[in-house]
């Protein structure tokens, strides 16, 4: 499995983006937690997922589940899904 985490930054006149909304912090948190849990899941920092105003965005492959407006609470939910497979 792979998690795509958008870390793309946009600038004026439309600065809404995952990178400007905490995407880098979300990616780092997921990477650390997945490593600590020993999960066989990779995290890939990606460019735009075309949902900039709803970021940060995370997508699980291969099933295609997408989380929008990810925060640290959502990271915990994603980790629970990865650990227990209830997605």
């Amino acid at each position: 499995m792979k998690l795509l985490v958008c870390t793309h930054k946009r600038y004026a006149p439309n600065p809404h983006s995952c990178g400007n909304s905490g995407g880098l912090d979300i990616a780092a948190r997921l990477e650390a937690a997945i490593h600590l849990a020993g999960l066989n899941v990779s995290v890939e920092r990606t460019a735009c997922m075309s949902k900039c105003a709803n970021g940060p965005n995370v997508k699980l492959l291969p099933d295609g589940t997408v989380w929008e407006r990810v925060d640290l609470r959502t990271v915990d939910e994603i980790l629970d899904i990865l650990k227990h497979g209830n997605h």
Side-chain angles (χ1 to χ4, degrees):
M1 285 190 286
K2 180 188 294 188
L3 284 174
L4 302 178
V5 181
C6 183
T7 57
H8 182 73
K9 286 190 171 209
R10 294 177 67 186
Y11 301 95
N14 185 4
H16 299 289
S17 67
C18 295
N20 294 340
S21 300
L24 291 168
D25 294 334
I26 297 299
R29 169 80 167 114
L30 283 166
E31 289 163 345
I34 287 168
H35 177 74
L36 284 174
L39 298 174
N40 187 22
V41 179
S42 63
V43 176
E44 183 177 323
R45 297 171 187 222
T46 67
C48 193
M49 292 184 187
S50 300
K51 298 179 180 215
C52 300
N54 297 337
N57 297 296
V58 176
K59 184 174 187 176
L60 178 63
L61 296 178
D63 82 350
T65 301
V66 175
W67 293 271
E68 299 176 348
R69 293 183 176 89
V70 175
D71 57 18
L72 294 181
R73 181 179 43 205
T74 313
V75 167
D76 291 339
E77 293 171 14
I78 294 169
L79 291 168
D80 188 54
I81 288 168
L82 294 174
K83 289 176 186 176
H84 301 102
N86 49 343
H87 55 88

